[in-house]
Amino acid sequence: MRKLMKSTAAVLALGLSIGTASAQMAPFGSDDDLAYAKLIWEAMQAQNLVGDHAIKSFPYEGTAPHGAMLETFYSSATIGDHTGALIVKRNYGPAEVEADQIIAEPGKHLGAVTVMYKREDGFDADNQNWFWAKFLPDGSLDKNPKGMSLAGKVAKGMDKGCIACHSGADGGDYIFTTNAPIAEMMMMK
Ligand code: HEC
């Protein structure tokens, strides 16, 4: 009996460690990713890129899968001892929403805030070290249908999602809106 209990415990322990290992292997949505995303959100709040007093720009017509109308901001942020480019896209809807309505009441039309943050070398060398995140307007993270939070190397290695789609951006820098060397420029402080 004692022996049986021991082996049951061993099997349980094995199961647990496999569970932990597979969670660690998921390319995004880990505890570390969530903690890092929180720091990015705080950096955006500090720069008035999000929140009640967020700076406004002229919203322009968007493309799928982002919103019907969009605003894009290029900035940089220091997190820990690393400074990297920070690109913030505000996604507005519904389809027929007009720029004036967004300028008047941005909070009412904001659907999501999608972010690319250039992390330190070695974070994701395959994809130029971008950290991807999709926030809901209240700062919580959006989730995919499997319940995984959209933060980190989102959908790395998959056919669809942030990385797959952005890897097709002109200029090979994962940035669609411009070919200016944003990532390098934003580090020159
Ligand atoms: C099917 C393609 C596609 C997917 C998937 C996608 N994007 Fe984009 N993204 C675009 C396009 C196209 C633009 C440029 C839109 C515009 O005109 O402003 C863009 C722009 C952006 C920008 C502004 C920087 C730039 O590239 O110009 C950010 C930040 C961004 N996306 C984040 C994300 C995040 C985070 C995800 C995943 C949660 C994601 N995107 C998923 C196509 C995609």
Side-chain angles (χ1 to χ4, degrees):
M1 182 64 191
R2 194 132 176 243
K3 208 170 175 193
L4 185 68
M5 274 174 69
K6 240 186 181 170
S7 58
T8 311
V11 169
L12 273 177
L14 186 70
L16 271 179
S17 67
I18 290 173
T20 314
S22 61
Q24 279 166 356
M25 270 154 59
F28 63 102
S30 70
D31 288 349
D32 283 354
D33 292 327
L34 266 59
Y36 206 90
K38 189 166 181 279
L39 297 176
I40 294 178
W41 182 263
E42 286 166 6
M44 293 193 295
Q45 280 180 316
Q47 294 186 32
N48 275 341
L49 289 168
V50 291
D52 291 344
H53 305 290
I55 188 170
K56 301 177 194 212
S57 73
F58 186 72
Y60 60 92
E61 208 168 308
T63 41
H66 293 288
M69 298 289 276
L70 303 171
E71 284 179 287
T72 301
F73 299 90
Y74 310 97
S75 185
S76 67
T78 301
I79 293 182
D81 55 9
H82 172 73
T83 299
L86 170 68
I87 312 182
V88 178
K89 175 175 290 304
R90 296 197 202 124
N91 306 259
Y92 297 97
E96 65 280 4
V97 71
E98 286 173 15
D100 281 350
Q101 295 173 297
I102 294 170
I103 295 169
E105 291 180 288
K108 193 174 163 188
H109 304 287
L110 185 64
V113 180
T114 37
V115 173
M116 293 166 64
Y117 177 68
K118 190 84 154 183
R119 284 198 57 172
E120 67 283 358
D121 283 347
F123 169 70
D124 185 10
D126 302 338
N127 299 295
Q128 297 177 13
N129 300 309
W130 289 108
F131 182 100
W132 308 83
K134 182 173 182 185
F135 295 97
L136 298 175
D138 67 359
S140 63
L141 287 163
D142 198 7
K143 292 183 177 169
N144 71 6
K146 287 184 182 162
M148 293 166 73
S149 295
L150 299 177
K153 299 165 204 159
V154 177
K156 177 173 170 139
M158 300 173 193
D159 298 341
K160 285 185 182 174
C162 315
I163 296 178
C165 187
H166 277 254
S167 67
D170 196 32
D173 57 359
Y174 293 77
I175 303 171
F176 278 104
T177 43
T178 177
N179 281 336
I182 291 294
E184 293 74 23
M185 287 160 62
M186 291 300 172
M187 311 262 299
M188 283 186 242
K189 280 194 144 187

